[in-house]
Amino acid sequence: YMKTMPTYDNEAERLVAVKEAGLETADITDTIGADEFTSITKEAMDEFGVCTAYIGSIDGTRQTYQSWRQKHLDGSVQDHAGLWLPNKFGMCKHTVKANDVVVANGSLGENTLEGMPMFSAEEMQSMAMAGDKEMGRIFGDVQQMMEDPEGKVPNEQLTKEDWSPHGENGMTYGKVRGFFGNALPAWTPQTHYTGIPIKVGGETVATFCVIDGKQRDDI
């Protein structure tokens, strides 16, 4: 399954830069949701009129979102700072691989983003069953969301504490559904992605990205 996603040619050097930048998972609690990050993502949403803007730090295992502003289907906007995804799962893996700006249009739902193949549900399930703990947690929570189309489990508000990289508690089904149930429909069937690498010593340690629910050629 790994053939569908890029591998890093210089991961050892990149992780040295991540450590030097203080962006390893164990070191970032105090930076999550910082004003300097949220002001940038807010300005990006306003400037480009997109439904999502985020800054995510990427260490060896996780992409943790220092700020993730998401416009929900009801028009409300929430910052999901502290949300994390397994490193191998995120779209920004392609930006890290390129170590350069990546721009793509297509469909996230149909896995047709230009030059950005993503894991299928079957591939995520395969990794989860093979013992990938972090992929297993994300996959299991999203699967539960999909199996509850009527929303019998109520949405819950995400908080910084719930998604803390230091905590394994608090990632409840309701909270995951509250995020993905609003975010994913906004990105499909059409998706635009622009990812900009944030570098230290020439290595990408984080990304600044915008996503929209329609194809864009003006970003």
Side-chain angles (χ1 to χ4, degrees), residues 49-115:
V50 293
C51 63
T52 302
Y54 61 79
I55 295 173
S57 55
I58 305 171
D59 67 4
T61 58
R62 293 182 179 181
Q63 177 165 353
T64 304
Y65 298 95
Q66 305 290 334
S67 172
W68 179 320
R69 289 185 65 81
Q70 174 69 43
K71 185 175 183 179
H72 291 172
L73 297 178
D74 62 4
S76 64
V77 176
Q78 184 181 352
D79 196 318
H80 298 284
L83 171 72
W84 62 266
L85 294 174
N87 183 338
K88 63 176 69 69
F89 179 47
M91 287 188 287
C92 291
K93 189 175 179 72
H94 296 279
T95 302
V96 176
K97 170 69 174 180
N99 205 32
D100 201 352
V101 176
V102 171
V103 179
N105 287 297
S107 171
L108 179 63
E110 297 176 3
N111 200 6
T112 60
L113 275 171
E114 301 161 339

Side-chain angles (χ1 to χ4, degrees), residues 38 41-42 45 51-54 67-83 155-160 162-163 174-180 182-183:
T38 58
T41 54
K42 182 180 185 301
M45 285 191 74
C51 63
T52 302
Y54 61 79
S67 172
W68 179 320
R69 289 185 65 81
Q70 174 69 43
K71 185 175 183 179
H72 291 172
L73 297 178
D74 62 4
S76 64
V77 176
Q78 184 181 352
D79 196 318
H80 298 284
L83 171 72
N155 294 349
E156 299 176 53
Q157 188 82 357
L158 287 168
T159 68
K160 177 179 175 180
D162 293 329
W163 290 88
K175 289 167 184 172
V176 171
R177 189 177 194 280
F179 172 74
F180 284 100
N182 281 290

Side-chain angles (χ1 to χ4, degrees), residues 135-186:
M135 185 62 80
R137 292 179 62 204
I138 293 294
F139 175 78
D141 288 339
V142 174
Q143 276 296 103
Q144 289 185 69
M145 178 197 76
M146 293 176 177
E147 292 167 2
D148 181 29
E150 296 179 2
K152 295 178 181 177
V153 177
N155 294 349
E156 299 176 53
Q157 188 82 357
L158 287 168
T159 68
K160 177 179 175 180
E161 289 71 25
D162 293 329
W163 290 88
S164 167
H166 296 288
E168 295 299 324
N169 299 319
M171 271 183 61
T172 68
Y173 165 39
K175 289 167 184 172
V176 171
R177 189 177 194 280
F179 172 74
F180 284 100
N182 281 290
L184 294 184

